[in-house]
Amino acid sequence: SEARFRNILEQTPEPVLVLKGEQMIVDIANQPLYRTWRTNASVLGKPLMECLPELRNQGIMEMLLDVYHNKKVIKGYDRPVVYDRGNEGTETLYYNFVYTPYVEGDGKVTGVLLIGTDVTGSVLARRKLEYSERRFRSIFDTTDVSIWEEDFSGVSTAINELKEQGVTDFQTYFDQHPQFVQDCMALIQVTDVNDATVQMFEADSKREILGNLPKIFSEETLPIFIGELLTIAEGRSEYR
């Protein structure tokens, strides 16, 4: 029944809205919707664009009319909606949403049912992470200092196996088992290097370096690599 539907709607934690007719008259709305709009039940009976004129030119009315006239269901993800907050300026919120025809008991479509989930927090967090990644990549690619990205997971597994065998004096073990050190070199996956590294090794491209760490290490660099192995074996977070 209508009363039961309204009761369910009021208990829904996400904004829910029912709009009626060509003008998209606000017919039903719940408290989360009012909070988002920063309004109250005074909007009931008013056209959507009268309540929120800032929605014009955001493509929302066009989608609503498409659903209403063509009985379509439209879904969207991370969709931005810009609200006019008066003296506070504008605020952009992001939604996952579903617009679906509102069908009466006789089967006639009289409006549109809107259900939205506010995903602003996750969208902004993802964008911040993407910005940090782009910034890191810019520094990585343009710095004059050689930088490597390496995957030591295979090395960690090999060292854990030594621990299970009872090895505790890793410095002595590495000194006495040079083949183990060589094997660990082969386990390292070089995932990326910057241009400074390519120039330092006078390589033709990154590809020449990636995956060929044992060929790059020389006798002079072995003590440094063994130091890295000790750092992993001893559970330290920094190489010294």
Side-chain angles (χ1 to χ4, degrees):
S1 67
E2 183 77 10
R4 186 168 181 269
F5 172 73
R6 289 176 182 271
N7 183 53
I8 293 173
L9 181 146
E10 283 299 329
Q11 297 182 52
T12 302
E14 301 294 346
V16 179
L17 176 66
V18 174
L19 301 170
K20 291 292 190 70
E22 287 270 357
Q23 296 300 312
M24 294 297 150
I25 304 298
V26 179
D27 183 61
I28 303 174
N30 63 355
Q31 289 301 320
L33 188 284
Y34 292 148
R35 287 194 292 270
T36 298
W37 286 9
R38 296 189 181 180
T39 187
N40 51 45
S42 63
V43 297
L44 295 177
K46 297 180 180 179
L48 176 64
M49 291 303 157
E50 180 181 326
C51 300
L52 297 173
E54 66 267 27
L55 296 186
R56 298 183 191 278
N57 302 319
Q58 294 193 45
I60 294 174
M61 193 64 174
E62 291 80 359
M63 285 192 292
L64 293 172
L65 290 174
D66 191 15
V67 173
Y68 179 65
H69 288 299
N70 300 311
K71 300 181 181 180
K72 295 172 62 175
V73 175
I74 296 180
K75 297 180 180 180
Y77 302 92
D78 299 346
R79 167 84 186 200
V81 177
V82 181
Y83 294 98
D84 182 357
R85 301 306 195 192
N87 293 334
E88 298 176 25
T90 61
E91 180 183 27
T92 302
L93 300 180
Y94 296 84
Y95 297 94
N96 293 343
F97 69 87
V98 178
Y99 295 171
T100 186
Y102 186 79
V103 184
E104 301 289 352
D106 59 2
K108 183 179 179 181
V109 173
T110 59
V112 179
L113 169 64
L114 298 78
I115 303 174
T117 300
D118 187 340
V119 294
T120 304
S122 61
V123 169
L124 295 182
R126 185 173 65 250
R127 289 188 174 183
K128 183 177 180 181
L129 182 62
E130 291 170 350
Y131 170 77
S132 296
E133 174 66 16
R134 289 195 301 270
R135 187 169 183 271
F136 166 77
R137 281 291 148 193
S138 176
I139 296 172
F140 181 92
D141 291 332
T142 59
T143 185
D144 293 332
V145 178
S146 174
I147 303 177
W148 302 61
E149 283 188 3
E150 300 170 342
D151 181 355
F152 273 73
S153 56
V155 175
S156 296
T157 299
I159 290 177
N160 286 335
E161 290 175 354
L162 291 183
K163 292 180 179 179
E164 292 174 359
Q165 297 169 18
V167 176
T168 56
D169 186 348
F170 289 97
Q171 178 69 69
T172 300
Y173 185 89
F174 296 152
D175 291 340
Q176 294 177 354
H177 298 81
Q179 187 58 50
F180 177 84
V181 176
Q182 294 291 332
D183 292 343
C184 283
M185 287 184 188
L187 292 173
I188 298 174
Q189 296 294 317
V190 183
T191 57
D192 201 4
V193 296
N194 65 350
D195 292 339
T197 303
V198 175
Q199 296 173 12
M200 183 176 70
F201 284 96
E202 299 181 347
D204 293 329
S205 65
K206 290 184 179 183
R207 183 177 299 180
E208 190 175 335
I209 296 176
L210 299 180
N212 290 304
L213 197 59
K215 297 179 181 179
I216 294 173
F217 271 118
S218 63
E219 289 296 325
E220 291 79 11
T221 60
L222 274 177
I224 297 175
F225 180 65
I226 290 174
E228 292 178 335
L229 293 181
L230 286 171
T231 298
I232 296 171
E234 295 171 1
R236 291 184 275 112
S237 59
E238 295 182 1
Y239 169 73
R240 60 176 184 268

